[in-house]
Amino acid sequence: MKHLFTLAAFLLMAISIKAQESITYQKPPKEILDLVDAPIAPSVRIDDKGEYAVLLYRENFKSIEELSEKELRLAGIRVNPVINSVTGQTYFIDVQIKKVSNDQILKVPNLPKNAKMTGFNWSPDQKLMAFTNTTSTGVELWVLDIKTASVKQLTKANLNNNLGRSFTWFKDSKSLLVSIVPENIKPILDGEKEVPTGPTISSNFGSKAQNRTYQDLLKNKIDETNFEILATAELYKIGVDGSQKLWKNAAMYRGINFSPNGNYVLISEMKRPFSYIVPLSRFPYDVNLYDVSGNFIKKIQEVPLIEVLPKGFMAVQKGMRQLNWRNDQGATLVWTEALDGGDPAVIVDFRDEVLQLIAPFDGKPQSILKVKNRFSNIYWGNSNTAIAVDNWRDDRNTKTYVFNPSNNQQKPVVISDRNYQDTYSDPGNFVTKRNEFSEDILELDNDHVYLIGDGFSEKGKFPFVDQLNLKTLKTKRLYQSKLNDKLENIVNSFNIKKGEILVRIESKNEYPNYYIRNYKKNTLKALTKFENPYKSLQSVHSEVLTYKREDGLDLSGKLYLPVGYEKGKKYPMVMWAYPREFKDKSSAGQVTANPNEFIYPSYGSPIYWVTRGYVVLDDAAFPIVGEGTEEPNDTFVKQLVGNAKAAIDAVDKLGYIDRTKVAVGGHSYGAFMTANLLSHSDLFAAGIARSGAYNRTLTPFGFQGEERNYWEAPETYNIMSPFMNAHKMKYPLLLVHGEIDDNSGTFPVQSERYFNALKGLGATVRYVVLPNEKHGYRAKESVLHLLWEQDQWLETYVKNKK
């Protein structure tokens, strides 16, 4: 009977095994298709003075033709060797300029034909923006004049964009340092394979290299050759007037960083040997110091190949790391060194030390700070004031220190000491301003600094501006949003001392728009007037639903009722979630959803199905808690099922759903969750699992938040692996995976082998491979087909289940 039911179900979907292999791209029903095709508002970039807003209109989707272009996967990156650029970038297709003081919008008339623009970057004086344009033959450099709303092409299609950003502004805003592809150097493509001269060999002599499961690593000598060719560039100084001059000969440049005063530049150059077990971020490199004319001064850092690190998320390399410039001084180098040898298992009083070296860089490095946890970052203020942040994953602790960088004998003062997962206690981010070097430094007002926070609490989200006295550590609240029927987010500050901040305001059916708020004068000025493109969702009821797990843990989710909801009627439900690990129940139970958020359907969202007669519980809380010495994953399945049951019980109690017709779905770790729930519970009618990992023995040195390796916790790995429990699968499962998934651990073989296991054991399962798609799906054809697949699955096995 089970086999007859499975066959009948697939006949209902009119898809046989043979048809499945030759099926063309399908489109979802009109209700969903109309939402997908709706226009989207532009991205907004505003200068620090608040004078001009740059509106960037992006493409909604790529085409499958674009995703089918040539691609090489090398050392953890994916590049198109024909145009010398990383693949998968989001392109902007139009640019407009708006003056903040009025409603006039200026169109930019001379944009490149069939524009595919990206990498927009302000000049230091913020009068210009440089950007790249991608053509069929390569990547060009262009510059946008903000005041005149005009653009100018600076180079041919010869930029080397294979390692990311291919240009950096000189501090005078008149020139850029640009990575150019050397002439007459081409990679070895398919059909040009060299005859091998020997085998490929990797060795290890006793060291423990417990690396995560990386994608797209080098595999052979041809890969090595191709990577070196594609990573090699010449550096040219290119003026905004179009002048060009060779600045430095060809090398594998991985980073360029000008000093705040513009007199020096740090350049990191990658070198051999390469590795077959770690990506390029751990390849060896040198960091050299040059003057602004390109003359070599000295070698600052020499980093070896890092194939072996101590075990743990907080493990770091020995020696210098996070080498950078002090933002508040013209030319002072600053970096961090581990005091525990980079090994989190070593017990020490201080984990990291911050040091500096002042120009002309021939003296002895000075220690300016030691921190208890692993160093994170510094907000520079002036010669006597700076604020540092550290964190430690094991106990989720983060500390913030105010210290005197000119006097290491003066003990740092801890401003805050908290659990970084405790959202309700988050004091916010420090407000910065641009200094004379066009670098961000603390907005200091005598002994005061300012913070902007999200303002989450049990009552909701109410963003705030605080003033903190660094001497007394007392805080004064200057502003807090009081909007109850709308959601306000503080984007940044224009002039915090005058009370001017940039905010974004939205509601359930009011599209997010930008405003300038002066909280001292109590004024609000509209900056943009974007229309709501999703009119069909305007009447949808949404709320933040709070409920409790069986063990008393507070949970929440965003609940949406169907379009045209009829009171008293029982509807099918789609629940979408993503598990997260916590070290305490208090943080795990906090609510960060907001009932006033605009209802925005992105391609991966389940919200589309409110138009198809479903209740939707989105972003349902699925905390996995392990307090003290307890590991969260040791009770993963039990907590997973407890979270799901609590969510269904809560919605069912309100009378909205037929609890026999509930589907569960998720992407990545959410897909892993879905497969586990269908195997270990009787709560769901069917599931949708996209781009997941199902066999944890294929990620033996840790996954997600799990630090233990397989041999340390084999029972946990096996119990958590849906593949190991494929014989327990009871309900229909739709598996979807991008053909060339680039995410660590979620190789397509994970879905392939899991499907074969389920098929061999007689489960009802469908496996959809989206051609040329990565971990996230980009082509419009793929997205529409995905929505069709999901809709068909839900209609067959949930709404109309037998």
Side-chain angles (χ1 to χ4, degrees), residues 256-261 263-266 289-290 322-334 357 359 361 380 439:
I256 298 171
N257 190 0
F258 280 93
S259 63
N261 63 12
N263 294 338
Y264 303 94
V265 57
L266 284 176
L289 182 67
Y290 297 85
Q322 294 173 279
L323 177 64
N324 212 328
W325 298 99
R326 275 187 62 163
N327 287 4
D328 63 326
Q329 295 188 356
T332 297
L333 291 170
V334 63
L357 184 62
F361 317 106
W380 298 102
E439 301 288 346

Side-chain angles (χ1 to χ4, degrees), residues 150-272:
S150 61
V151 294
K152 178 181 180 180
Q153 183 176 346
L154 298 183
T155 72
K156 299 183 295 183
N158 60 353
L159 268 63
N160 186 327
N161 204 44
N162 290 320
L163 297 183
R165 181 172 295 281
S166 50
F167 63 87
T168 304
W169 281 99
F170 280 82
K171 286 291 183 172
D172 62 4
S173 297
K174 296 179 180 179
S175 304
L176 301 103
L177 196 54
V178 185
S179 298
I180 300 293
V181 177
E183 294 183 2
N184 303 318
I185 299 180
K186 294 182 179 180
I188 303 168
L189 304 179
D190 292 342
E192 305 173 11
K193 293 184 177 179
E194 295 179 336
V195 177
T197 58
T200 298
I201 298 172
S202 297
S203 300
N204 186 63
F205 301 100
S207 298
K208 291 184 178 181
Q210 299 191 11
N211 296 308
R212 289 292 174 118
T213 311
Y214 296 114
Q215 298 269 39
D216 304 329
L217 299 176
L218 300 179
K219 298 180 292 296
N220 50 48
K221 295 294 183 182
I222 293 179
D223 279 357
E224 288 191 56
T225 300
N226 280 340
F227 175 76
E228 184 166 16
I229 290 171
L230 292 168
T232 298
E234 295 173 331
L235 296 183
Y236 275 78
K237 183 177 182 179
I238 296 179
V240 294
D241 60 0
S243 60
Q244 298 190 12
K245 179 182 178 182
L246 179 64
W247 196 85
K248 200 170 185 306
N249 292 325
M252 291 185 288
Y253 301 110
R254 72 189 293 277
I256 298 171
N257 190 0
F258 280 93
S259 63
N261 63 12
N263 294 338
Y264 303 94
V265 57
L266 284 176
I267 298 182
S268 57
E269 301 176 26
M270 206 154 24
K271 59 184 181 182
R272 288 178 178 265

Side-chain angles (χ1 to χ4, degrees), residues 615-678:
V615 170
V616 171
L617 184 64
D618 193 17
D619 199 21
F622 267 72
I624 308 298
V625 184
E627 295 189 303
T629 59
E630 179 186 353
E631 291 291 339
N633 284 339
D634 287 345
T635 53
F636 178 85
V637 171
K638 180 182 178 181
Q639 293 192 63
L640 210 64
V641 175
N643 292 329
K645 183 177 183 303
I648 294 173
D649 287 346
V651 184
D652 185 34
K653 186 177 180 180
L654 296 173
Y656 294 144
I657 62 170
D658 177 350
R659 67 178 301 144
T660 68
K661 295 183 177 182
V662 178
V664 62
H667 190 94
S668 195
Y669 208 52
F672 172 72
M673 170 205 73
T674 297
N676 267 304
L677 284 171
L678 296 187

Side-chain angles (χ1 to χ4, degrees), residues 654-707:
L654 296 173
Y656 294 144
I657 62 170
D658 177 350
R659 67 178 301 144
T660 68
K661 295 183 177 182
V662 178
V664 62
H667 190 94
S668 195
Y669 208 52
F672 172 72
M673 170 205 73
T674 297
N676 267 304
L677 284 171
L678 296 187
S679 298
H680 297 291
S681 76
D682 295 308
L683 298 168
F684 300 98
I688 299 170
R690 302 193 315 236
S691 298
Y694 309 102
N695 183 350
R696 286 306 170 192
T697 68
L698 297 180
T699 55
F701 291 107
F703 57 90
Q704 203 71 9
E706 180 58 66
E707 284 190 292

